[in-house]
Amino acid sequence: MYAFEYRRPASLAEAVSLLSQAEEGKILAGGQTLLPTLKQRLARPTELIDLSKVPELKGIREDGGALVIGAFACHAEVGASDLVKRRIPALADLAVHIGDRQVRALGTLGGSIANADPAADYPAAVVALKGTVKTDLREIAGDDFFTGMFETALNPGEVITGVRFQAPDKAAYAKFRNPASRYAIVGVFVARFGNEVRVAVTGAGPSVFCVTDMEAALAKDFRADALSGVAVSANGLNGDIHASPEYRAHLVTVMAKRAVEACA
Amino acid sequence: MSCTVTMTVNGKAVTREVEERTLLVHFLREHLALTGTHVGCDTSQCGACVVHVDGRSVKSCTMLAVQAEGASVTTIEGLAAADGTLHPMQAAFREHHGLQCGFCTPGMVMSAVDLVKDNPTPTESEVREGLEGNICRCTGYHNIVKAVLAGAEAMRAGEPAAAAAE
Ligand SMILES: Cc1cc2nc3c(=O)[nH]c(=O)nc-3n(C[C@H](O)[C@H](O)[C@H](O)COP(=O)(O)OP(=O)(O)OC[C@H]3O[C@@H](n4cnc5c(N)ncnc54)[C@H](O)[C@@H]3O)c2cc1C
Ligand code: FES
Ligand code: FES
């Protein structure tokens, strides 16, 4: 790790101002992605701004029909939250299957979506649950937030404060996980809001995407069988030592069916 | 560049001057000479470095010492009683041959204690799931799982696992 300075702001305003003054500032949340990156010397920030003492980023609350989860909520907290389990059980279930127990104790919602790993779980929930990403400056629709592999709509120095998730009538997340890392080789989040159905896929492509053909088929007939014969193309999907693009394309339909079945 | 950190480690307050980039595991091993906490992979995968920070198990190779400012940290050295009596989970690992080379053991025991605290009556599959962050290259896990189940029982009963296993 290269040397850096460490700051621990006590408010959002202070965090934003430290970031704007830093030569090459980097936010530190749970550190579960950033510290491994720094250890490999893949980044060289001059200052780390630790968000752990910023009260505006904490907590989980209800807001009308939605849930607002603070950016600093760790995966263990979301997974164990009675409120999340009651309002959006699929989201609690997603959180308890991220990484392992120790990663879940530190890794945060804000860090996960800011990092936008193509295999991360939360992006599928942000998109399927019609999420809104709240920052110190604005609100960004979940559909517009993830712009590419490890890329988001965030400006430099912009701080995610939380995510508002709409509570669906039914939802489930099915993940075909990498057995070593537990990241998604393919993860599909299905959510039904009245007559509207959202099918968001992570792990398969460079960034999370919706499968509109599946959404239309499920809107007409919300059963796993409705997806038989609805395939996605392998074109542009990820291929690596874990799975080829063709295999990932196949898994999208399999996981989507499992998610629909889990909604029953 | 350096800064001062203060935290409680195994019940004792400690203050040291460290570089900001010092990892918690290096702080424990090199500054405090608590070498029971191991470094296996250094890439957040193996769990040999697991310690408790404010009651939660974390990988100390993936946390900065400064992030533990003001926290209460427990390492494997802090688990046994002052008179040397092993913690029931340690006793269960010994009784059930939950180790071979022992390299992964401090992390396994710290993870196991944390998971049993949350779930005092885990099933075998809950134990296996709870230990996903810990890798052992020797045992094949079978006896580790047995040890954790016995350790959980002993922790419930508040007695050493050796007696519980009779
Ligand atoms: C062994 C292991 C297994 C894992 N398995 C999974 C898995 O199965 N599924 C999965 O989804 N993830 C997995 N992860 C990743 C984990 O979920 C991380 O918690 C997550 O990627 C990053 O969150 P963090 O809070 O640790 O962020 P950090 O590492 O602190 O930060 C990550 C990035 O986000 C930026 N950032 C952080 N917070 C904010 C904010 N509020 N506003 C703006 N930018 C911010 C940082 O500057 C940095 O660039 C795994 C990680 C490890 C080490
Ligand atoms: S040394 Fe920390 S997880 Fe392997
Ligand atoms: S006993 Fe050798 S690594 Fe587990």
Side-chain angles (χ1 to χ4, degrees), chain B residues 38-50 59-62 133:
Chain B
H38 293 165
V39 178
C41 64
D42 200 29
T43 55
S44 323
Q45 309 283 335
C46 76
C49 63
V50 169
K59 293 177 178 172
S60 63
C61 76
T62 313

Side-chain angles (χ1 to χ4, degrees), chain A residues 26-36 51 57 71 75 97-100 103 106-112 114-115 119-123 154 158-161 175 181-184, chain B residues 43-45 59 62:
Chain A
K26 196 99 182 117
I27 291 171
L28 173 65
Q32 300 303 287
T33 295
L34 183 58
L35 293 178
L51 298 182
L57 309 182
H75 311 327
H97 290 103
I98 294 177
D100 54 55
V103 167
L106 294 176
T108 66
L109 168 61
S112 174
N115 191 51
D121 297 304
Y122 267 126
L154 290 174
E158 191 169 1
V159 182
I160 301 170
T161 57
K175 153 155 92 163
S181 74
R182 264 89 53 191
Y183 273 102
Chain B
T43 55
S44 323
Q45 309 283 335
K59 293 177 178 172
T62 313

Side-chain angles (χ1 to χ4, degrees), chain B residues 79 87-94 109 112-113 116 147-149 151-152 155 161:
Chain B
L79 222 46
H87 183 281
M89 190 60 77
Q90 290 174 304
F93 268 69
R94 185 169 66 181
V109 170
V113 169
V116 170
V148 175
L149 289 168
M155 281 169 71

Side-chain angles (χ1 to χ4, degrees), chain B residues 109-128:
Chain B
V109 170
M110 297 312 281
S111 292
V113 169
D114 178 44
L115 97 88
V116 170
K117 197 180 55 170
D118 258 15
N119 178 2
T121 54
T123 60
E124 181 189 329
S125 72
E126 285 167 344
V127 169
R128 288 185 185 274

Side-chain angles (χ1 to χ4, degrees), chain A residues 1-6 8 28-29 31-32 35-36 39 48 50 74 99-102 105-106 177 182, chain B residues 1 20-21 23 42 44 50 56-59 61-64 66-67 69 111 114-115 118 130 132-134:
Chain A
M1 235 185 268
Y2 294 112
F4 50 77
E5 283 182 48
Y6 172 84
R8 196 187 294 117
L28 173 65
Q32 300 303 287
L35 293 178
K39 285 200 242 176
L48 290 197
D50 180 348
C74 69
D100 54 55
R101 188 175 177 83
Q102 289 73 33
L106 294 176
R177 58 181 214 173
R182 264 89 53 191
Chain B
M1 284 183 281
E20 287 85 344
R21 60 181 164 173
L23 295 169
D42 200 29
S44 323
V50 169
R56 300 180 304 176
S57 64
V58 304
K59 293 177 178 172
C61 76
T62 313
M63 184 174 197
L64 300 170
V66 284
Q67 287 178 281
E69 169 72 29
S111 292
D114 178 44
L115 97 88
D118 258 15
E132 276 182 330
N134 296 77

